[in-house]
Amino acid sequence: MSRQSNRGTESKKMSSELFTLTYGALVTQLCKDYENDEDVNKQLDKMGYNIGVRLIEDFLARSNVGRCHDFRETADVIAKVAFKMYLGITPSITNWSPAGDEFSLILENNPLVDFVELPDNHSSLIYSNLLCGVLRGALEMVQMAVEAKFVQDTLKGDSVTEIRMRFIRRIEDNLPAGEE
Amino acid sequence: MADAVLFEFLHTEMVAELWARRPDPSPGGQKTSLSVLEGMGFRVGQALGERLPQDTLAFREELDALKFLCKDVWVAVFQKQMDGLRTNHQGTYVLQDNDFPLLVRMASGLQYLEEAPKFLAFTCGLLRGTLNTLGIKSLVTASVAALPACKFQVVIQRA
């Protein structure tokens, strides 16, 4: 193998690990700064939300998906387009509620947790909670109020990682202040 | 494989979050936040360096290691090469990026010049961390004359 192609491969590998490693450094720092896991979870969710409300623009610009007509379409777009584009994985969609307002995303591999082990004193930490915030923030910008939460986590010994998504309501555009 | 834009978004949010939590405007307070960011960058730089195969690390000369930073590492992290590398051949290197991606979103010219250091601290640490894995101890600082161009100054620390 020529030196040239070796370097190309290494660059690619480093690039894909950069986000994962940076995320790990962030979680480590938050665990130092906050007293308990609950606060870290909230902070990750909030940061994710802030990222999500901006990420959606990048997503819409690059993916050319049109408006979703229902929650099922939304689920498909999230799993097959968004996750693929940003994390290189395609979670499967399962466990639809009878009313069609809840579903699960099953991640066989969670790229965020490569090289990660939870130490014993952080059993309540939801390591990948940033993802829930991102989903919530991004969907809010397309007029959907949702709840996203982890119900299974390979870091905690489960066989898969599962994010439960619940549709709360459609967000109507807010009236400008002063008009009723 | 995580899309490159995710790192940018995460980095911006990390800077914002650290500053929101430590609103102390005194130079002392600022320095703490900057060093926290630098420390995080250092750990990431080290981890990135550790994942390279052994033969990549066999640089015959210090300059080769710096060139590696300017090409391979910069491409991996920022999808572009460093625009310039100068040295006094006595252990000081200046790496020039005319279009630093983490500054590009902010503005161009002199607006937000004061904010720029926050967006460079992590990367300084990253450079220092990668060099550390290559067996080179250094001090890395950054300066901005006009966004989005910036310079990273690497001073090799000899024992």
Side-chain angles (χ1 to χ4, degrees), chain A residues 17 33-34 43 62 86, chain B residues 1 3 13 17 21 51 76:
Chain A
E17 291 171 349
D33 290 343
Y34 290 99
Q43 202 57 30
R62 286 162 61 186
Y86 291 113
Chain B
M1 187 182 127
D3 188 286
E13 191 51 35
E17 139 79 1
R21 260 191 294 132
R51 279 159 179 73

Side-chain angles (χ1 to χ4, degrees), chain B residues 2 73 78 85-86 105 121:
Chain B
V73 175
F78 298 114
L85 171 64
R86 293 199 327 272
R105 276 179 200 266

Side-chain angles (χ1 to χ4, degrees), chain A residues 7 10 18 22 26 31 35 41 50-51 56 61 71 73 95-96 100 105 116 122 124 132 134 139 146 149 152 164 180:
Chain A
R7 279 180 158 189
E10 290 322 312
L18 176 65
T22 305
L26 170 68
C31 288
E35 305 241 317
N41 294 340
N50 291 340
I51 291 174
I56 185 74
F71 207 42
E73 262 190 73
N95 287 349
W96 276 101
L105 289 164
V116 172
H122 285 290
S124 311
C132 295
V134 173
L139 288 170
V146 302
K149 62 175 195 248
Q152 288 195 78
R164 190 84 186 141
E180 278 301 322

Side-chain angles (χ1 to χ4, degrees), chain A residues 118-161:
Chain A
L118 277 187
D120 291 331
N121 56 339
H122 285 290
S123 49
S124 311
L125 180 67
I126 307 171
Y127 183 84
S128 307
N129 212 31
L130 192 100
L131 284 182
C132 295
V134 173
L135 287 164
R136 191 167 61 85
L139 288 170
E140 189 174 299
M141 291 298 109
V142 289
Q143 268 71 55
M144 275 181 264
V146 302
E147 182 194 54
K149 62 175 195 248
F150 280 89
V151 296
Q152 288 195 78
D153 194 342
T154 50
L155 271 188
K156 300 197 174 157
D158 297 315
S159 53
V160 292
T161 298

Side-chain angles (χ1 to χ4, degrees), chain A residues 14-125:
Chain A
M14 279 172 98
S15 169
S16 76
E17 291 171 349
L18 176 65
F19 177 71
T20 309
L21 290 169
T22 305
Y23 186 72
L26 170 68
V27 177
T28 306
Q29 186 62 40
L30 290 178
C31 288
K32 282 192 197 140
D33 290 343
Y34 290 99
E35 305 241 317
N36 60 59
D37 290 347
E38 259 318 301
D39 287 339
V40 177
N41 294 340
K42 278 199 200 117
Q43 202 57 30
L44 285 172
D45 179 78
K46 186 176 127 205
M47 291 176 75
Y49 176 85
N50 291 340
I51 291 174
V53 302
R54 295 196 313 272
L55 194 69
I56 185 74
E57 279 180 40
D58 180 82
F59 175 70
L60 292 174
R62 286 162 61 186
S63 67
N64 276 325
V65 299
R67 187 164 282 283
C68 290
H69 295 103
D70 58 29
F71 207 42
R72 277 184 190 266
E73 262 190 73
T74 307
D76 272 346
V77 170
I78 291 172
K80 295 174 188 160
V81 189
F83 265 88
K84 183 104 182 85
M85 181 185 290
Y86 291 113
L87 291 173
I89 56 169
T90 309
S92 43
I93 301 169
T94 64
N95 287 349
W96 276 101
S97 62
D101 61 347
E102 280 189 45
F103 67 91
S104 286
L105 289 164
I106 307 282
L107 285 66
E108 308 268 323
N109 292 318
N110 178 356
L112 290 181
V113 308
D114 288 342
F115 329 121
V116 172
E117 270 179 37
L118 277 187
D120 291 331
N121 56 339
H122 285 290
S123 49
S124 311
L125 180 67

Side-chain angles (χ1 to χ4, degrees), chain B residues 35-132:
Chain B
S35 67
V36 166
L37 280 170
E38 207 269 355
M40 289 169 70
F42 180 79
R43 281 199 293 282
V44 173
Q46 267 195 313
L48 279 177
E50 275 161 18
R51 279 159 179 73
L52 296 164
Q54 282 309 113
D55 64 347
T56 322
L57 309 186
F59 292 113
R60 274 173 300 138
E61 288 179 23
E62 197 173 82
L63 184 58
D64 290 332
L66 268 296
K67 285 184 186 165
F68 175 74
L69 283 191
C70 291
K71 290 189 177 150
D72 304 70
V73 175
W74 222 242
V75 165
V77 177
F78 298 114
Q79 292 77 53
K80 68 183 287 282
Q81 292 194 14
M82 195 73 79
D83 293 307
L85 171 64
R86 293 199 327 272
T87 178
N88 64 359
H89 295 289
Q90 282 168 27
T92 299
Y93 299 84
V94 177
L95 289 62
Q96 169 109 12
D97 193 325
N98 295 327
D99 215 2
F100 186 54
L102 297 180
L103 291 178
V104 161
R105 276 179 200 266
M106 282 171 67
S108 54
L110 304 179
Q111 197 183 16
Y112 300 123
L113 205 53
E114 270 181 40
E115 312 291 305
K118 302 177 192 172
F119 289 86
L120 299 169
F122 182 89
T123 307
C124 288
L126 192 130
L127 287 168
R128 189 169 67 89
T130 309
L131 280 171
N132 195 56

